[in-house]
Amino acid sequence: MKKLHFKVIVLAVSLAFSAGAMAQNMSKTEYQASKDKISAEYKAAREACASLAGNPKDVCVAQAKGNEKIAQAELDAGYKPSSKTHYQVRIAKAQADYGVAKQTCGAMAGNAKDVCIKEAKSARTAAKANAKVQLKTSDANAIADEKSADARTKAKLQVAGAHKDAQAEKLDAQYAVEKEKCDTYAGGAKDECLQQVKLRFSK
């Protein structure tokens, strides 16, 4: 019953911010009103978490904080649309997912907890790397619409570089996860595990 109650509260926290930032061409007054609404919804979500305890409460609070940040980022993107503000929305979502995942890992112990946290970090790294690629691509497309052939070529090279960097960041994060999993072993078995991981990731 407690588990179901927790899920209902988390769902309520998620839905509380659903209307957080659906606006384009809004006035400064409307922007401020939306900002105040997000703040009020965050407080209500935090109060909903108060009936929980321990790890479920921590997860619920992390969800509330994350949704507030996402709603604010979406509001900013609606108020002043740009590749940068849309990038900030993606980053807010990556950070929010990580915050919830990290607190969820808190219910675990030992190596399982360590692996869980590494996996959460890996997912955040991947999401942020993808957001960076999307930002570079968006900027490159804007240049392609306005600039010369040389500028377009340069923009394409920047996007290719961003893709390469993103791939490297994701692989490093995955490598950290696999290394952490080797800690379940000891002695020669652990050494063998680490050696296999290094071979797989060409380290």
Side-chain angles (χ1 to χ4, degrees):
M1 190 68 182
K2 283 184 180 176
K3 196 170 183 182
L4 178 61
H5 181 56
F6 169 56
K7 284 182 179 176
V8 169
I9 286 178
V10 170
L11 179 62
V13 169
S14 300
L15 294 177
F17 296 88
S18 61
M22 300 288 180
Q24 291 242 11
N25 302 319
M26 68 177 76
S27 67
K28 192 170 183 179
T29 303
E30 288 170 329
Y31 172 78
Q32 189 57 53
S34 295
K35 197 171 180 180
D36 292 342
K37 186 180 178 184
I38 290 169
S39 181
E41 288 172 343
Y42 168 66
K43 287 176 185 175
R46 281 294 299 261
E47 285 171 11
C49 297
S51 62
L52 301 170
N55 184 256
K57 182 177 181 179
D58 294 338
V59 173
C60 186
V61 170
Q63 182 102 46
K65 287 179 178 177
N67 284 336
E68 181 196 24
K69 297 291 185 187
I70 292 169
Q72 183 59 55
E74 287 178 340
L75 176 63
D76 291 340
Y79 185 51
K80 293 183 178 179
S82 69
S83 57
K84 186 69 184 289
T85 54
H86 285 100
Y87 167 75
Q88 293 299 340
V89 171
R90 295 183 189 104
I91 294 300
K93 287 178 178 177
Q95 287 293 115
D97 287 345
Y98 171 69
V100 173
K102 187 179 176 185
Q103 291 303 331
T104 302
C105 295
M108 302 176 187
N111 182 251
K113 181 178 180 179
D114 294 339
V115 170
C116 181
I117 290 172
K118 281 283 196 304
E119 286 177 337
K121 286 181 178 178
S122 178
R124 179 182 62 175
T125 297
K128 289 173 84 171
N130 288 338
K132 199 180 292 183
V133 169
Q134 287 175 319
L135 174 64
K136 293 281 186 185
T137 302
S138 180
D139 288 346
N141 287 339
I143 289 171
D145 289 341
E146 298 172 10
K147 305 285 183 178
S148 66
D150 285 344
R152 288 196 293 271
T153 300
K154 186 177 178 182
K156 284 179 183 177
L157 288 172
Q158 287 178 340
V159 171
H163 274 288
K164 189 176 178 182
D165 291 344
Q167 192 59 31
E169 286 174 24
K170 290 177 192 178
L171 282 172
D172 284 344
Q174 289 167 8
Y175 174 62
V177 171
E178 296 305 314
K179 267 181 65 182
E180 194 66 51
K181 288 179 180 177
C182 291
D183 282 352
T184 56
Y185 304 107
K190 181 177 179 179
D191 292 340
E192 177 63 23
C193 178
L194 288 169
Q195 188 62 32
Q196 290 299 321
V197 170
K198 286 179 180 179
L199 283 172
R200 250 189 300 150
F201 288 87
S202 302
K203 294 291 185 182

